[in-house]
Amino acid sequence: MRLVHLDLKGAAPRISYLEQVFPFLSQLGANGILIEYEDMFPFKGELEVLRSPYAYSEEDIERIQQLAEQHKLEVVPLVQTFGHVEFILKHEKYQHLREVERFPNSFNPHVPNTLALLKSILAQVIEKHRHSTWIHIGADEVFHLGEGMDSKNWMSRNKGDVGTMYLKHIKEVLGFLAAQYWGLRVLMWDDMLRKISVGALRGEGTGKAAVAPQLGVSAVPIHVAALARVMPGAGRSPCLASCSPAGRGEGWLDPLPALRVPAQPRWEAMAWLSPSCRYDHYSVLCELLPVGIPSLAICLQTLVNGGFTEEANRKVLDILGLESVQLEQSTCEGRGAFPGVEIYHMVEQVNGHLKESILKALEEESAIKGWFSPYHRKHQFGNPRNMESFGSKVLKLHEDWESFVRDLRAQLERVYFPDTVEEWVEENVNPYLDQLRDLVRDYR
């Protein structure tokens, strides 16, 4: 399975954009979508507080699955069950379920309401994915586990450690899934398991969950029962880097032969490629999906071909409508013909020229530095003769960028909801363009 991970806690795309993207993913070699909904899922009843104002509707969830089936992509929903639950624990209603009261990152596994809440969340997500044969329970990066008073008391009473406490909670989640959803297979990230002793893993076998190296585009899931046997040599597992900007994929090519595992009934090769997300619910956005598509294409074709071969390169160029890909320079040449290519080129303009052009105008123009300094602007005086020497140039630069940003917003709004558009512009455009806007305001 080659799964593209859509991490919707950042820049969730409109369904109309997924209608364009899914065929491309299938053409490029993906055969599944790992969807981490977070607050984009249309939770109902007691859970409605978790929904984003822009959450997908139930009809949207059904449409996603129809699109996936149409393009032979298996849908695997991902529900975080331990860490990365800021979208839940930020709400006053659920603050009492935090491991550490100050931090909204992780659940307290000792409060009965934690498991009850997870059962409700899992039930609603699984109910809307009746055709999915896999569910991913996350369970990575459970920050501050063991630091809460309940956890300290539990470890003291049971002569246990953080690892056994972690496994106890995971077993409860897996037990619920096994009892309620016969035949549903479970995936989880492995980073927390790697911190647990071999003895604890053997003593607390969690059954037939499959584990996958965290932050990897590739993973070989195995039954947790077998993890203890492979743990001593796990350092060379095919845990590859996350999908990175085009051209940075070569760093994870070397471990690809490790994917050639001997055929064994309990092993299944899988790959996760993450084109966009946040690091957590509170962090800034990572790269936008349209900008990540060339890199995603390279990663998928690399996995399909066992390396970024000439054949892989030709297919990437053909499908994306590009002229060339320069891995070493992290660049793609050509107009492109993939969904969101306009955003791809406009983000290139922002990254490559916006800051440079504005700082050059503000800091290298001698008339501005000498006759329109912050002091002049603060006290509102200046010599018109000198001001006119730079005025037309600054006004044109300002109008050109404002026009560009209007076009960029229009393109972003075709793919994203208003909150994403506003955040991306605030983070990537306004820190520089606002400086120019302020100068133009004072000049006028």
Side-chain angles (χ1 to χ4, degrees):
M1 294 173 69
R2 292 179 292 273
L3 305 177
V4 172
H5 180 189
L6 294 180
D7 188 347
L8 302 183
K9 61 175 164 279
R14 296 179 185 272
I15 302 300
S16 56
Y17 185 66
L18 295 181
E19 290 174 346
Q20 302 173 58
V21 169
F22 278 21
F24 269 79
L25 298 183
S26 183
Q27 279 183 281
L28 288 164
N31 54 21
I33 306 291
L34 180 68
I35 306 183
E36 187 169 358
Y37 287 106
E38 286 228 350
D39 58 358
M40 288 302 293
F41 188 81
F43 291 108
K44 298 187 296 185
E46 288 292 311
L47 301 179
E48 193 169 347
V49 68
L50 302 179
R51 295 175 58 162
S52 161
Y54 302 101
Y56 293 145
S57 66
E58 293 184 23
E59 292 74 22
D60 290 335
I61 302 298
E62 184 61 32
R63 179 62 179 147
I64 288 172
Q65 292 173 90
Q66 289 172 353
L67 285 169
E69 183 179 8
Q70 182 181 344
H71 299 289
K72 297 180 173 56
L73 299 168
E74 181 164 357
V75 174
V76 180
L78 190 159
V79 177
Q80 286 287 359
T81 56
F82 215 161
H84 283 298
V85 285
E86 298 92 348
F87 82 102
I88 300 171
L89 299 183
K90 71 178 183 181
H91 295 285
E92 185 177 358
K93 181 177 181 178
Y94 297 117
Q95 283 183 5
H96 65 288
L97 301 181
R98 296 177 178 183
E99 167 70 355
V100 176
E101 186 178 359
R102 291 179 58 218
F103 305 135
N105 304 78
S106 306
F107 278 125
N108 177 346
H110 311 287
V111 180
N113 286 350
T114 291
L115 190 60
L117 174 62
L118 285 173
K119 289 178 179 179
S120 297
I121 292 173
L122 286 163
Q124 288 200 21
V125 173
I126 293 170
E127 170 67 25
K128 295 300 177 187
H129 295 81
R130 288 187 171 273
H131 299 297
S132 293
T133 58
W134 291 92
I135 179 115
H136 197 305
I137 61 169
D140 59 311
E141 296 184 336
V142 188
F143 299 132
H144 308 293
L145 182 61
E147 297 178 16
M149 190 53 64
D150 287 344
S151 289
K152 290 178 180 177
N153 290 338
W154 185 91
M155 288 187 288
S156 177
R157 286 195 309 269
N158 295 276
K159 297 181 180 178
D161 57 17
V162 171
T164 55
M165 190 166 59
Y166 173 84
L167 290 174
K168 177 178 177 293
H169 176 73
I170 295 302
K171 284 175 66 177
E172 289 175 339
V173 173
L174 294 175
F176 163 72
L177 292 171
Q180 295 295 317
Y181 304 100
W182 186 86
L184 185 65
R185 292 176 289 180
V186 183
L187 297 167
M188 61 184 290
W189 300 124
D190 84 324
D191 59 308
M192 296 295 294
L193 292 168
R194 290 183 183 275
K195 301 172 186 176
I196 301 173
S197 69
V198 173
L201 285 168
R202 285 178 176 149
E204 294 283 344
T206 54
K208 292 186 177 180
V211 298
Q214 167 67 334
L215 287 180
V217 295
S218 174
V220 178
I222 57 174
H223 292 170
V224 176
L227 185 63
R229 296 198 293 276
V230 302
M231 186 65 81
R236 283 296 295 161
S237 69
C239 179
L240 312 179
S242 296
C243 182
S244 54
R248 296 182 187 163
E250 70 273 12
W252 55 263
L253 301 185
D254 292 341
L256 276 175
L259 286 171
R260 306 283 187 257
V261 294
Q264 300 178 43
R266 70 176 185 273
W267 292 66
E268 296 185 48
M270 293 201 179
W272 282 270
L273 297 104
S274 302
S276 65
C277 65
R278 300 180 194 276
Y279 287 104
D280 69 41
H281 191 74
Y282 285 89
S283 74
V284 297
L285 293 171
C286 297
E287 196 55 274
L288 298 174
L289 178 52
V291 181
I293 281 182
S295 173
L296 183 59
I298 291 168
C299 293
L300 278 167
Q301 275 298 297
T302 296
L303 288 169
V304 169
N305 291 277
F308 194 55
T309 62
E310 186 56 38
E311 180 184 352
N313 184 43
R314 279 199 306 272
K315 186 153 188 180
V316 167
L317 298 179
D318 181 54
I319 293 175
L320 300 188
L322 297 170
E323 295 174 8
S324 67
V325 169
Q326 304 297 328
L327 290 181
E328 294 76 15
Q329 286 77 39
S330 299
T331 58
C332 298
E333 302 297 330
R335 293 194 58 81
F338 54 88
V341 68
E342 300 88 357
I343 292 174
Y344 178 90
H345 289 304
M346 295 180 93
V347 169
E348 275 191 322
Q349 286 289 102
V350 170
N351 289 341
H353 303 293
L354 175 65
K355 178 181 178 181
E356 179 186 4
S357 68
I358 291 175
L359 292 183
K360 184 175 182 179
L362 299 187
E363 296 179 6
E364 295 184 13
E365 179 66 54
S366 61
I368 292 177
K369 294 185 74 173
W371 281 271
F372 202 57
S373 72
Y375 185 81
H376 291 90
R377 294 163 62 188
K378 178 179 178 180
H379 295 284
Q380 300 182 13
F381 77 100
N383 188 328
R385 174 181 177 276
N386 301 95
M387 290 174 64
E388 287 174 3
S389 69
F390 66 80
S392 59
K393 184 191 300 184
V394 166
L395 291 174
K396 184 175 188 311
L397 180 67
H398 172 250
E399 180 49 41
D400 287 348
W401 276 118
E402 292 289 13
S403 175
F404 176 88
V405 171
R406 285 192 294 272
D407 292 342
L408 173 60
R409 278 184 174 273
Q411 293 293 339
L412 289 172
E413 285 165 1
R414 292 172 57 189
V415 174
Y416 294 110
F417 298 99
D419 58 338
T420 297
V421 177
E422 201 57 41
E423 180 179 353
W424 197 89
V425 172
E426 285 281 356
E427 288 286 339
N428 296 280
V429 174
N430 290 351
Y432 311 108
L433 191 50
D434 280 350
Q435 296 179 53
L436 184 59
R437 288 166 174 156
D438 289 346
L439 184 134
V440 168
R441 179 202 63 213
D442 291 347
Y443 172 85
R444 284 176 171 153

PDB file of all heavy atoms in Angstrom, residues 303-330:
ATOM      1  N   LEU A 303       9.059   5.330  -5.108  1.00  0.00           N
ATOM      2  CA  LEU A 303       8.658   4.101  -4.424  1.00  0.00           C
ATOM      3  C   LEU A 303       8.190   3.045  -5.422  1.00  0.00           C
ATOM      4  O   LEU A 303       8.504   1.865  -5.292  1.00  0.00           O
ATOM      5  CB  LEU A 303       7.545   4.400  -3.418  1.00  0.00           C
ATOM      6  CG  LEU A 303       7.994   5.172  -2.182  1.00  0.00           C
ATOM      7  CD1 LEU A 303       6.786   5.653  -1.387  1.00  0.00           C
ATOM      8  CD2 LEU A 303       8.880   4.308  -1.298  1.00  0.00           C
ATOM      9  N   VAL A 304       7.452   3.461  -6.441  1.00  0.00           N
ATOM     10  CA  VAL A 304       6.952   2.519  -7.445  1.00  0.00           C
ATOM     11  C   VAL A 304       8.109   1.856  -8.189  1.00  0.00           C
ATOM     12  O   VAL A 304       8.091   0.652  -8.460  1.00  0.00           O
ATOM     13  CB  VAL A 304       6.018   3.235  -8.441  1.00  0.00           C
ATOM     14  CG1 VAL A 304       5.709   2.331  -9.638  1.00  0.00           C
ATOM     15  CG2 VAL A 304       4.724   3.650  -7.755  1.00  0.00           C
ATOM     16  N   ASN A 305       9.156   2.653  -8.482  1.00  0.00           N
ATOM     17  CA  ASN A 305      10.261   2.157  -9.309  1.00  0.00           C
ATOM     18  C   ASN A 305      11.478   1.720  -8.511  1.00  0.00           C
ATOM     19  O   ASN A 305      12.469   1.296  -9.111  1.00  0.00           O
ATOM     20  CB  ASN A 305      10.670   3.237 -10.319  1.00  0.00           C
ATOM     21  CG  ASN A 305       9.614   3.468 -11.384  1.00  0.00           C
ATOM     22  OD1 ASN A 305       9.551   2.755 -12.363  1.00  0.00           O
ATOM     23  ND2 ASN A 305       8.752   4.460 -11.165  1.00  0.00           N
ATOM     24  N   GLY A 306      11.443   1.838  -7.195  1.00  0.00           N
ATOM     25  CA  GLY A 306      12.591   1.444  -6.392  1.00  0.00           C
ATOM     26  C   GLY A 306      13.734   2.430  -6.447  1.00  0.00           C
ATOM     27  O   GLY A 306      14.862   2.127  -6.041  1.00  0.00           O
ATOM     28  N   GLY A 307      13.489   3.621  -6.933  1.00  0.00           N
ATOM     29  CA  GLY A 307      14.498   4.662  -7.037  1.00  0.00           C
ATOM     30  C   GLY A 307      14.006   5.693  -8.034  1.00  0.00           C
ATOM     31  O   GLY A 307      13.066   5.431  -8.799  1.00  0.00           O
ATOM     32  N   PHE A 308      14.621   6.881  -8.037  1.00  0.00           N
ATOM     33  CA  PHE A 308      14.195   7.900  -8.990  1.00  0.00           C
ATOM     34  C   PHE A 308      14.901   7.647 -10.313  1.00  0.00           C
ATOM     35  O   PHE A 308      15.861   8.315 -10.690  1.00  0.00           O
ATOM     36  CB  PHE A 308      14.463   9.301  -8.460  1.00  0.00           C
ATOM     37  CG  PHE A 308      13.747  10.365  -9.252  1.00  0.00           C
ATOM     38  CD1 PHE A 308      12.370  10.310  -9.430  1.00  0.00           C
ATOM     39  CD2 PHE A 308      14.441  11.418  -9.829  1.00  0.00           C
ATOM     40  CE1 PHE A 308      11.704  11.272 -10.171  1.00  0.00           C
ATOM     41  CE2 PHE A 308      13.786  12.397 -10.566  1.00  0.00           C
ATOM     42  CZ  PHE A 308      12.408  12.318 -10.732  1.00  0.00           C
ATOM     43  N   THR A 309      14.399   6.641 -11.011  1.00  0.00           N
ATOM     44  CA  THR A 309      14.981   6.189 -12.278  1.00  0.00           C
ATOM     45  C   THR A 309      14.591   7.129 -13.407  1.00  0.00           C
ATOM     46  O   THR A 309      13.751   8.015 -13.248  1.00  0.00           O
ATOM     47  CB  THR A 309      14.478   4.779 -12.595  1.00  0.00           C
ATOM     48  OG1 THR A 309      13.038   4.844 -12.739  1.00  0.00           O
ATOM     49  CG2 THR A 309      14.825   3.796 -11.483  1.00  0.00           C
ATOM     50  N   GLU A 310      15.170   6.878 -14.574  1.00  0.00           N
ATOM     51  CA  GLU A 310      14.820   7.662 -15.753  1.00  0.00           C
ATOM     52  C   GLU A 310      13.342   7.468 -16.093  1.00  0.00           C
ATOM     53  O   GLU A 310      12.651   8.402 -16.497  1.00  0.00           O
ATOM     54  CB  GLU A 310      15.704   7.259 -16.937  1.00  0.00           C
ATOM     55  CG  GLU A 310      15.504   8.117 -18.176  1.00  0.00           C
ATOM     56  CD  GLU A 310      15.716   9.599 -17.910  1.00  0.00           C
ATOM     57  OE1 GLU A 310      16.630   9.943 -17.138  1.00  0.00           O
ATOM     58  OE2 GLU A 310      14.946  10.416 -18.467  1.00  0.00           O
ATOM     59  N   GLU A 311      12.867   6.236 -15.915  1.00  0.00           N
ATOM     60  CA  GLU A 311      11.451   5.954 -16.168  1.00  0.00           C
ATOM     61  C   GLU A 311      10.561   6.748 -15.219  1.00  0.00           C
ATOM     62  O   GLU A 311       9.542   7.312 -15.622  1.00  0.00           O
ATOM     63  CB  GLU A 311      11.178   4.458 -16.011  1.00  0.00           C
ATOM     64  CG  GLU A 311       9.725   4.085 -16.257  1.00  0.00           C
ATOM     65  CD  GLU A 311       9.443   2.612 -16.007  1.00  0.00           C
ATOM     66  OE1 GLU A 311      10.412   1.848 -15.778  1.00  0.00           O
ATOM     67  OE2 GLU A 311       8.259   2.220 -16.019  1.00  0.00           O
ATOM     68  N   ALA A 312      10.956   6.784 -13.920  1.00  0.00           N
ATOM     69  CA  ALA A 312      10.192   7.550 -12.930  1.00  0.00           C
ATOM     70  C   ALA A 312      10.186   9.030 -13.290  1.00  0.00           C
ATOM     71  O   ALA A 312       9.151   9.706 -13.211  1.00  0.00           O
ATOM     72  CB  ALA A 312      10.781   7.341 -11.535  1.00  0.00           C
ATOM     73  N   ASN A 313      11.330   9.543 -13.691  1.00  0.00           N
ATOM     74  CA  ASN A 313      11.445  10.947 -14.063  1.00  0.00           C
ATOM     75  C   ASN A 313      10.533  11.269 -15.248  1.00  0.00           C
ATOM     76  O   ASN A 313       9.809  12.276 -15.239  1.00  0.00           O
ATOM     77  CB  ASN A 313      12.901  11.262 -14.411  1.00  0.00           C
ATOM     78  CG  ASN A 313      13.111  12.742 -14.718  1.00  0.00           C
ATOM     79  OD1 ASN A 313      12.596  13.609 -14.023  1.00  0.00           O
ATOM     80  ND2 ASN A 313      13.866  13.033 -15.770  1.00  0.00           N
ATOM     81  N   ARG A 314      10.545  10.407 -16.269  1.00  0.00           N
ATOM     82  CA  ARG A 314       9.715  10.636 -17.455  1.00  0.00           C
ATOM     83  C   ARG A 314       8.230  10.658 -17.090  1.00  0.00           C
ATOM     84  O   ARG A 314       7.471  11.484 -17.580  1.00  0.00           O
ATOM     85  CB  ARG A 314       9.982   9.551 -18.504  1.00  0.00           C
ATOM     86  CG  ARG A 314      11.220   9.779 -19.355  1.00  0.00           C
ATOM     87  CD  ARG A 314      11.173   8.948 -20.628  1.00  0.00           C
ATOM     88  NE  ARG A 314      10.965   7.530 -20.339  1.00  0.00           N
ATOM     89  CZ  ARG A 314      11.940   6.655 -20.105  1.00  0.00           C
ATOM     90  NH1 ARG A 314      13.203   7.062 -20.126  1.00  0.00           N
ATOM     91  NH2 ARG A 314      11.674   5.392 -19.863  1.00  0.00           N
ATOM     92  N   LYS A 315       7.826   9.740 -16.220  1.00  0.00           N
ATOM     93  CA  LYS A 315       6.412   9.668 -15.862  1.00  0.00           C
ATOM     94  C   LYS A 315       5.984  10.895 -15.076  1.00  0.00           C
ATOM     95  O   LYS A 315       4.897  11.446 -15.279  1.00  0.00           O
ATOM     96  CB  LYS A 315       6.115   8.406 -15.065  1.00  0.00           C
ATOM     97  CG  LYS A 315       4.627   8.212 -14.801  1.00  0.00           C
ATOM     98  CD  LYS A 315       4.250   6.773 -14.634  1.00  0.00           C
ATOM     99  CE  LYS A 315       2.732   6.622 -14.575  1.00  0.00           C
ATOM    100  NZ  LYS A 315       2.308   5.223 -14.417  1.00  0.00           N
ATOM    101  N   VAL A 316       6.839  11.344 -14.149  1.00  0.00           N
ATOM    102  CA  VAL A 316       6.537  12.564 -13.383  1.00  0.00           C
ATOM    103  C   VAL A 316       6.354  13.745 -14.314  1.00  0.00           C
ATOM    104  O   VAL A 316       5.379  14.502 -14.209  1.00  0.00           O
ATOM    105  CB  VAL A 316       7.647  12.845 -12.351  1.00  0.00           C
ATOM    106  CG1 VAL A 316       7.515  14.254 -11.785  1.00  0.00           C
ATOM    107  CG2 VAL A 316       7.608  11.824 -11.219  1.00  0.00           C
ATOM    108  N   LEU A 317       7.286  13.920 -15.247  1.00  0.00           N
ATOM    109  CA  LEU A 317       7.213  15.047 -16.179  1.00  0.00           C
ATOM    110  C   LEU A 317       5.970  14.957 -17.052  1.00  0.00           C
ATOM    111  O   LEU A 317       5.293  15.967 -17.299  1.00  0.00           O
ATOM    112  CB  LEU A 317       8.467  15.096 -17.052  1.00  0.00           C
ATOM    113  CG  LEU A 317       9.800  15.318 -16.325  1.00  0.00           C
ATOM    114  CD1 LEU A 317      10.951  15.325 -17.319  1.00  0.00           C
ATOM    115  CD2 LEU A 317       9.778  16.602 -15.512  1.00  0.00           C
ATOM    116  N   ASP A 318       5.646  13.757 -17.497  1.00  0.00           N
ATOM    117  CA  ASP A 318       4.503  13.565 -18.384  1.00  0.00           C
ATOM    118  C   ASP A 318       3.192  13.876 -17.666  1.00  0.00           C
ATOM    119  O   ASP A 318       2.344  14.608 -18.183  1.00  0.00           O
ATOM    120  CB  ASP A 318       4.495  12.126 -18.908  1.00  0.00           C
ATOM    121  CG  ASP A 318       3.331  11.874 -19.850  1.00  0.00           C
ATOM    122  OD1 ASP A 318       3.184  12.631 -20.828  1.00  0.00           O
ATOM    123  OD2 ASP A 318       2.556  10.928 -19.601  1.00  0.00           O
ATOM    124  N   ILE A 319       3.029  13.331 -16.466  1.00  0.00           N
ATOM    125  CA  ILE A 319       1.768  13.506 -15.738  1.00  0.00           C
ATOM    126  C   ILE A 319       1.592  14.948 -15.265  1.00  0.00           C
ATOM    127  O   ILE A 319       0.488  15.501 -15.314  1.00  0.00           O
ATOM    128  CB  ILE A 319       1.696  12.532 -14.539  1.00  0.00           C
ATOM    129  CG1 ILE A 319       1.603  11.087 -15.048  1.00  0.00           C
ATOM    130  CG2 ILE A 319       0.497  12.849 -13.643  1.00  0.00           C
ATOM    131  CD1 ILE A 319       1.652  10.045 -13.953  1.00  0.00           C
ATOM    132  N   LEU A 320       2.682  15.582 -14.822  1.00  0.00           N
ATOM    133  CA  LEU A 320       2.586  16.938 -14.270  1.00  0.00           C
ATOM    134  C   LEU A 320       2.758  18.021 -15.329  1.00  0.00           C
ATOM    135  O   LEU A 320       2.584  19.205 -15.019  1.00  0.00           O
ATOM    136  CB  LEU A 320       3.617  17.135 -13.160  1.00  0.00           C
ATOM    137  CG  LEU A 320       3.501  16.203 -11.951  1.00  0.00           C
ATOM    138  CD1 LEU A 320       4.456  16.646 -10.852  1.00  0.00           C
ATOM    139  CD2 LEU A 320       2.076  16.156 -11.417  1.00  0.00           C
ATOM    140  N   GLY A 321       3.097  17.648 -16.546  1.00  0.00           N
ATOM    141  CA  GLY A 321       3.243  18.647 -17.606  1.00  0.00           C
ATOM    142  C   GLY A 321       4.445  19.546 -17.401  1.00  0.00           C
ATOM    143  O   GLY A 321       4.412  20.724 -17.790  1.00  0.00           O
ATOM    144  N   LEU A 322       5.519  19.025 -16.831  1.00  0.00           N
ATOM    145  CA  LEU A 322       6.735  19.796 -16.591  1.00  0.00           C
ATOM    146  C   LEU A 322       7.787  19.475 -17.644  1.00  0.00           C
ATOM    147  O   LEU A 322       7.726  18.439 -18.306  1.00  0.00           O
ATOM    148  CB  LEU A 322       7.288  19.488 -15.196  1.00  0.00           C
ATOM    149  CG  LEU A 322       6.390  19.873 -14.014  1.00  0.00           C
ATOM    150  CD1 LEU A 322       6.932  19.298 -12.717  1.00  0.00           C
ATOM    151  CD2 LEU A 322       6.246  21.381 -13.914  1.00  0.00           C
ATOM    152  N   GLU A 323       8.767  20.373 -17.775  1.00  0.00           N
ATOM    153  CA  GLU A 323       9.839  20.158 -18.741  1.00  0.00           C
ATOM    154  C   GLU A 323      11.010  19.413 -18.127  1.00  0.00           C
ATOM    155  O   GLU A 323      11.661  18.608 -18.781  1.00  0.00           O
ATOM    156  CB  GLU A 323      10.308  21.503 -19.306  1.00  0.00           C
ATOM    157  CG  GLU A 323       9.243  22.213 -20.128  1.00  0.00           C
ATOM    158  CD  GLU A 323       9.685  23.603 -20.542  1.00  0.00           C
ATOM    159  OE1 GLU A 323      10.872  23.947 -20.318  1.00  0.00           O
ATOM    160  OE2 GLU A 323       8.842  24.359 -21.067  1.00  0.00           O
ATOM    161  N   SER A 324      11.305  19.732 -16.859  1.00  0.00           N
ATOM    162  CA  SER A 324      12.421  19.061 -16.191  1.00  0.00           C
ATOM    163  C   SER A 324      12.276  19.196 -14.690  1.00  0.00           C
ATOM    164  O   SER A 324      11.574  20.080 -14.194  1.00  0.00           O
ATOM    165  CB  SER A 324      13.770  19.659 -16.636  1.00  0.00           C
ATOM    166  OG  SER A 324      13.889  20.996 -16.165  1.00  0.00           O
ATOM    167  N   VAL A 325      12.934  18.294 -13.981  1.00  0.00           N
ATOM    168  CA  VAL A 325      13.016  18.339 -12.518  1.00  0.00           C
ATOM    169  C   VAL A 325      14.486  18.302 -12.149  1.00  0.00           C
ATOM    170  O   VAL A 325      15.226  17.410 -12.582  1.00  0.00           O
ATOM    171  CB  VAL A 325      12.282  17.137 -11.873  1.00  0.00           C
ATOM    172  CG1 VAL A 325      12.592  17.059 -10.397  1.00  0.00           C
ATOM    173  CG2 VAL A 325      10.783  17.245 -12.096  1.00  0.00           C
ATOM    174  N   GLN A 326      14.943  19.285 -11.390  1.00  0.00           N
ATOM    175  CA  GLN A 326      16.330  19.348 -10.951  1.00  0.00           C
ATOM    176  C   GLN A 326      16.371  19.049  -9.446  1.00  0.00           C
ATOM    177  O   GLN A 326      16.096  19.921  -8.627  1.00  0.00           O
ATOM    178  CB  GLN A 326      16.924  20.732 -11.243  1.00  0.00           C
ATOM    179  CG  GLN A 326      16.826  21.163 -12.696  1.00  0.00           C
ATOM    180  CD  GLN A 326      17.599  20.256 -13.628  1.00  0.00           C
ATOM    181  OE1 GLN A 326      18.626  19.699 -13.243  1.00  0.00           O
ATOM    182  NE2 GLN A 326      17.101  20.093 -14.840  1.00  0.00           N
ATOM    183  N   LEU A 327      16.667  17.804  -9.107  1.00  0.00           N
ATOM    184  CA  LEU A 327      16.645  17.416  -7.694  1.00  0.00           C
ATOM    185  C   LEU A 327      17.641  18.222  -6.869  1.00  0.00           C
ATOM    186  O   LEU A 327      17.340  18.653  -5.763  1.00  0.00           O
ATOM    187  CB  LEU A 327      16.942  15.920  -7.553  1.00  0.00           C
ATOM    188  CG  LEU A 327      15.870  14.941  -8.039  1.00  0.00           C
ATOM    189  CD1 LEU A 327      16.319  13.513  -7.810  1.00  0.00           C
ATOM    190  CD2 LEU A 327      14.546  15.200  -7.360  1.00  0.00           C
ATOM    191  N   GLU A 328      18.836  18.400  -7.413  1.00  0.00           N
ATOM    192  CA  GLU A 328      19.881  19.077  -6.635  1.00  0.00           C
ATOM    193  C   GLU A 328      19.516  20.532  -6.330  1.00  0.00           C
ATOM    194  O   GLU A 328      19.869  21.058  -5.281  1.00  0.00           O
ATOM    195  CB  GLU A 328      21.221  19.032  -7.384  1.00  0.00           C
ATOM    196  CG  GLU A 328      21.811  17.639  -7.541  1.00  0.00           C
ATOM    197  CD  GLU A 328      21.113  16.823  -8.619  1.00  0.00           C
ATOM    198  OE1 GLU A 328      20.373  17.417  -9.437  1.00  0.00           O
ATOM    199  OE2 GLU A 328      21.306  15.592  -8.638  1.00  0.00           O
ATOM    200  N   GLN A 329      18.815  21.182  -7.265  1.00  0.00           N
ATOM    201  CA  GLN A 329      18.440  22.584  -7.056  1.00  0.00           C
ATOM    202  C   GLN A 329      17.048  22.747  -6.463  1.00  0.00           C
ATOM    203  O   GLN A 329      16.601  23.869  -6.213  1.00  0.00           O
ATOM    204  CB  GLN A 329      18.495  23.342  -8.393  1.00  0.00           C
ATOM    205  CG  GLN A 329      19.896  23.636  -8.898  1.00  0.00           C
ATOM    206  CD  GLN A 329      20.557  22.423  -9.517  1.00  0.00           C
ATOM    207  OE1 GLN A 329      19.904  21.648 -10.215  1.00  0.00           O
ATOM    208  NE2 GLN A 329      21.834  22.243  -9.249  1.00  0.00           N
ATOM    209  N   SER A 330      16.362  21.647  -6.245  1.00  0.00           N
ATOM    210  CA  SER A 330      14.985  21.706  -5.728  1.00  0.00           C
ATOM    211  C   SER A 330      14.089  22.567  -6.604  1.00  0.00           C
ATOM    212  O   SER A 330      13.317  23.380  -6.114  1.00  0.00           O
ATOM    213  CB  SER A 330      14.965  22.245  -4.285  1.00  0.00           C
ATOM    214  OG  SER A 330      15.692  21.415  -3.431  1.00  0.00           O
TER     215      SER A 330
END
